[in-house]
Amino acid sequence: MKRYSLLFLVFLLLLLTTACNNEPQVKVETIISPISDEGYGRVGGTKDLNDPKQEDFKVLKFKFFMENTNAVKDRQMEIDVDWRNTLNSIDGVDRYWHGSGGEQDNPSENFAEYQQEVVFYAKGLSEEDIKKAFEDSKVTVSWTDNKELVEKQYIIADLIEFKE
């Protein structure tokens, strides 16, 4: 019987801890993967490149999602990333090819979402070259929780994952 009482107590404490946690859930990811056949078919403008191939291009997908509780007030996000200039600054070569993005961030909603997809010319670049380019790129999230300002920062270079 003592075992069940202890188990119940642990479960109750876990439940209370979760219920009292007013901190928002934040997910930030940056994934770099090979370009698909369909994506490569839309690349275009490669006449100035020396023998371009599909494997010379990569796709960068950035996703930010934040879900918060009603206790979170004054939610602010700053996504300090200039995708074009960051990629083009690696070695002086025009690396940024094209991109698109979207966002949903209504103050009256308990979530915010940002997405960016970029196709870039990666020939001759190592994973370290790409990560180094994004060392100064960051996402800063802040909010007020119980009259206290909370701020978190995410460095894009630390979040990059390479998929094959």
Side-chain angles (χ1 to χ4, degrees):
M1 191 59 131
K2 287 183 181 181
R3 180 180 283 173
Y4 291 115
S5 297
L6 182 62
L7 190 59
F8 177 75
L9 182 61
V10 169
F11 176 74
L12 185 61
L13 284 173
L14 266 170
L15 187 63
L16 286 172
T17 303
T18 305
C20 294
N21 185 4
N22 291 326
E23 189 165 305
Q25 294 183 2
V26 177
K27 183 176 182 183
V28 185
E29 65 181 20
T30 307
I31 298 173
I32 296 177
S33 57
I35 194 167
S36 67
D37 293 341
E38 181 183 334
Y40 184 65
R42 292 189 305 260
V43 166
T46 60
K47 65 179 175 6
D48 293 334
L49 299 177
N50 186 17
D51 192 29
K53 296 178 177 49
Q54 183 170 343
E55 56 268 12
D56 296 339
F57 291 87
K58 301 280 185 203
V59 176
L60 180 152
K61 291 183 181 178
F62 168 81
K63 293 181 183 177
F64 169 89
F65 182 79
M66 178 179 177
E67 183 173 19
N68 53 279
T69 66
N70 289 330
V72 170
K73 305 292 182 219
D74 302 319
R75 175 185 72 209
Q76 301 291 320
M77 269 101 25
E78 181 181 346
I79 300 177
D80 185 17
V81 185
D82 183 337
W83 304 104
R84 177 185 303 272
N85 287 332
T86 299
L87 288 165
N88 288 345
S89 72
I90 294 174
D91 56 4
V93 174
D94 285 338
R95 299 277 178 189
Y96 180 95
W97 228 250
H98 61 81
S100 63
E103 64 182 67
Q104 183 173 354
D105 184 8
N106 303 328
S108 63
E109 306 263 343
N110 281 348
F111 75 95
E113 186 173 23
Y114 293 80
Q115 299 176 23
Q116 185 73 35
E117 185 171 313
V118 172
V119 172
F120 68 100
Y121 182 61
K123 185 175 184 176
L125 297 180
S126 68
E127 291 181 1
E128 274 309 304
D129 293 334
I130 296 168
K131 283 186 172 188
K132 186 173 181 186
F134 286 98
E135 285 178 342
D136 295 329
S137 300
K138 60 187 176 276
V139 175
T140 305
V141 181
S142 64
W143 64 89
T144 303
D145 187 5
N146 297 324
K147 298 183 182 178
E148 183 179 328
L149 179 66
V150 179
E151 183 175 288
K152 295 203 176 201
Q153 194 170 80
Y154 304 88
I155 306 298
I156 299 296
D158 296 340
L159 302 171
I160 293 176
E161 293 179 50
F162 294 89
K163 305 282 183 176
E164 289 302 318

